Amino acid sequence: MDYLLLGLGVALMLEGLLYALAPGLVEQLLEALRALPQEQRRMLGLGAIALGLALTWLAMQLGF
C-alpha cells in the first residue's frame, strides 16, 4: 500500500508541475491527442502502462 501511495503522489506531482510550468503546452498536447484515431490513443495508453510497469519493476529490483 505504501508503494501505491508513493507512486500516486509522484504522478500527481509531475502532472501538477507540467500544468504549472507549461499550461499552453498541455493544451497543444491535448489537441494533438484529439486528432489521433481512437485506436492509436488506445495503443499509446497501453504503451504507457507497459513502460510504467517496466520502470516500476526495475525500481523494485534496484531496491527503491
Side-chain angles (χ1 to χ4, degrees):
M1 184 63 148
D2 293 340
Y3 291 119
L4 180 64
L5 290 175
L6 178 65
L8 183 58
V10 170
L12 289 172
M13 285 190 306
L14 291 175
E15 189 170 342
L17 186 64
L18 182 62
Y19 280 111
L21 295 178
L25 182 62
V26 173
E27 288 180 18
Q28 290 175 353
L29 178 61
L30 290 174
E31 288 174 18
L33 284 173
R34 249 182 251 127
L36 290 176
Q38 185 176 7
E39 190 59 33
Q40 277 187 314
R41 288 182 291 196
R42 180 173 287 120
M43 295 313 268
L44 280 172
L46 290 172
I49 291 170
L51 179 61
L53 182 62
L55 289 174
T56 303
W57 177 83
L58 181 62
M60 296 293 284
Q61 296 301 312
L62 293 174
F64 291 112

